[in-house]
Amino acid sequence: MNRLVLGSQWGDEGKGKIVDILTEEADVIVRYQGGSNAGHTVCVKDKKFILHLIPSGILRHGKVCVIGNGVVIDPESFIEEKKTLEALGVDVSSERLLISEKAHLVMPYHKEFDSRMESVLGENKIGTTKRGIGPAYTDKHARTGIRVCDLQNKDILAIKIKERVKDINRICELYGVEKFSSDEIIEKYYKYAEELLPYIRNTVYYLNGVFKNKRRILFEGAQGSMLDIDFGTYPFVTSSNPSIGGAFTGTGLPHKAIDNVMAVVKAYTTRVGNGPFPSELNDNMGQFIRDKGAEYGATTGRPRRCGWLDLVVVKYAAMINGVDEMALTKLDVLDGIDTIKVCVGYEYRGKKIGYIPSQLEEYAKCKPIYKTFHGWDSTKGAKRYEELPDNAKRYIEFIEKFVGLRFTIISTGAEREETIRR
Ligand code: GDP
Ligand code: IMO
Ligand code: MG
């Protein structure tokens, strides 16, 4: 069976851990969108791995990982990540990791523009990860991007960089900021090319071969549905499609290649960066969840905004992605809380609604309507559903009924073993 694992909230749902578990049942793991803005954490015994560009599947022996064409690749970040993983004893050889020729490259000016745009926006800033993601996708869609396949030919690469930097420098001149040296960038990217070349493949044909040969594929989503450029809280979103559509455009695999869609749902909600978040808790409870759940960004270290679980959001993600089953994560973080709330609708213009208004200004006016639950002592480390306290089961079963889907995985700790399979 080929599975897609994606985030149902604003990212950081615990996709890394779930992908790591499901990798056991897959042969090939593919990332289809995003870039090094992602931070997927996997804890195995005393080791903690944080994956940004490389699929979390790399941690399991014998599995092949693919960075698909829909991903934007910062070679600097890739090389650093590879080194870090190797230092931790992970095999990151080109036999088990492939990079799509068609993927776009993140360039130094993308990173610089990302930072500058944010400072220009001031209070209205998006709160990006400053990894150059937005500008790299902008170049892709403006048809001015430089792709991984361009690294395969030094002359072509130099011409493309020169042409693009000429235009970029016109913009720099307009805004009175320091220009870029195309020679410096060319030299840097020649070095990157040497490191990346062994990994570069036509992954569209490779993946379709895998599919044809009935080897199992696991699609690893980054970010979450509410950060989707089309379906999220625009403009406070990322610049790709973390939702299901991205899995097709970002790999070249047909829709028939996905048999099952799994949405990862954190037992509460977090968000990094700006934008509306109706169930946000700006109080001691929010701080409690942040501390207990270690809700600090895996990529930027920023404190994550925390709040109660929002089921309007989860139901929306289930709808747009055609979700088949769900994975619940971080249930243990709610252990010991007396009263737990879940958002089941919004109060909007004096009425109760169950949808997400498209206009951001209107969404910002939505107030959460809560259903209250009694808390429980401990779920930490539980491995069987029967072990869970009754109140935790009530919480879980309410969510399942509300969304109309079952949790087939329940995570009760960061470790691989702290997991219930149903
Ligand atoms: P991702 O971006 O969706 O992969 O999520 P992150 O890795 O950014 O954030 C999830 C964090 O929660 C990581 O530090 C995980 O190690 C941790 N985590 C995952 N599942 C659980 C869980 O069930 N309980 C606890 N306490 N931590 C978890
Ligand atoms: P994972 O895969 C949480 C957020 C940023 C910002 C917005 C745009 O770990 O779940 P970008 O740098 O993408 O242009 O930033 O998206 N963001 C994430 N938030 N988890 C992520 O990835 C994120 N990747 C981007 O904080 O609000
Ligand atoms: Mg993350």
Side-chain angles (χ1 to χ4, degrees), residues 134-187:
Y137 278 113
T138 302
D139 264 359
K140 171 175 177 173
H141 289 276
R143 294 159 293 181
T144 49
I146 298 175
R147 297 188 300 164
V148 167
C149 56
D150 297 324
L151 295 172
Q152 290 168 321
N153 183 315
K154 279 191 161 184
D155 296 336
I156 291 177
L157 181 65
I159 292 169
K160 290 200 174 170
I161 292 177
K162 269 198 184 126
E163 273 177 10
R164 188 66 193 123
V165 170
K166 212 194 306 171
D167 279 343
I168 291 285
N169 281 343
R170 283 202 193 105
I171 302 170
C172 291
E173 208 170 283
L174 203 66
Y175 287 98
V177 299
E178 204 182 325
K179 291 186 188 174
F180 291 87
S181 150
S182 50
D183 288 344
E184 265 174 37
I185 299 178
I186 291 166
E187 202 184 315

Side-chain angles (χ1 to χ4, degrees), residues 12 39-40 304:
D12 301 326
H40 298 177
R304 294 173 181 157

Side-chain angles (χ1 to χ4, degrees), residues 167 239 241 292 321 350 359:
D167 279 343
S239 299
N241 287 115
K292 183 127 186 258
N321 295 300
Q359 240 186 60

Side-chain angles (χ1 to χ4, degrees), residues 266-336:
K266 182 146 62 178
Y268 48 92
T269 313
T270 62
R271 166 159 214 182
V272 208
N274 293 331
F277 175 0
S279 65
E280 182 171 13
L281 291 165
N282 288 307
D283 57 9
N284 289 341
M285 183 55 75
Q287 190 58 43
F288 173 86
I289 294 174
R290 186 174 305 114
D291 290 339
K292 183 127 186 258
E295 294 296 353
Y296 294 87
T299 298
T300 57
R302 289 179 288 175
R304 294 173 181 157
R305 298 159 65 192
C306 297
W308 297 120
L309 178 63
D310 185 335
L311 288 183
V312 182
V313 163
V314 176
K315 211 169 174 173
Y316 175 68
M319 176 180 78
I320 63 170
N321 295 300
V323 173
D324 296 296
E325 42 188 286
M326 303 186 290
L328 182 65
T329 60
K330 306 192 93 160
L331 184 63
D332 57 296
V333 175
L334 301 181
D335 289 357

Side-chain angles (χ1 to χ4, degrees), residues 76-101:
E76 188 183 7
S77 172
F78 172 80
I79 293 162
E80 203 181 294
E81 188 171 336
K82 175 179 157 245
K83 278 191 191 140
T84 309
L85 286 172
E86 281 170 345
L88 287 163
V90 181
D91 171 13
V92 197
S93 64
S94 56
E95 266 122 68
R96 49 184 313 244
L97 180 62
L98 316 177
I99 300 177
S100 172
E101 289 174 343

Side-chain angles (χ1 to χ4, degrees), residues 7 11-18 38-43 48 50 56 220-221 223 264 266 268 292-299 304 328-333 380 410-415 418:
D12 301 326
E13 296 89 351
K15 297 175 292 293
K17 170 172 171 172
I18 301 302
H40 298 177
T41 315
V42 182
C43 298
K48 183 170 163 178
I50 302 177
S56 305
E220 175 176 353
Q223 288 84 46
V264 185
K266 182 146 62 178
Y268 48 92
K292 183 127 186 258
E295 294 296 353
Y296 294 87
T299 298
R304 294 173 181 157
L328 182 65
T329 60
K330 306 192 93 160
L331 184 63
D332 57 296
V333 175
K380 174 79 179 142
I410 297 166
S411 172
T412 56
E415 280 287 326
E418 295 175 310

Side-chain angles (χ1 to χ4, degrees), residues 16 20 31 58 105 119 130 140 143 157 188 195 198 203 224 267 270 283 290 330 336 338 372 391 404-405 421:
D20 174 64
R31 266 281 302 271
I58 202 79
L105 290 169
S119 46
K130 299 187 182 168
K140 171 175 177 173
R143 294 159 293 181
L157 181 65
K188 232 185 194 177
E195 296 240 23
T203 58
T270 62
D283 57 9
R290 186 174 305 114
K330 306 192 93 160
D338 285 340
T372 301
N391 283 347
L405 292 166
R421 295 291 298 265

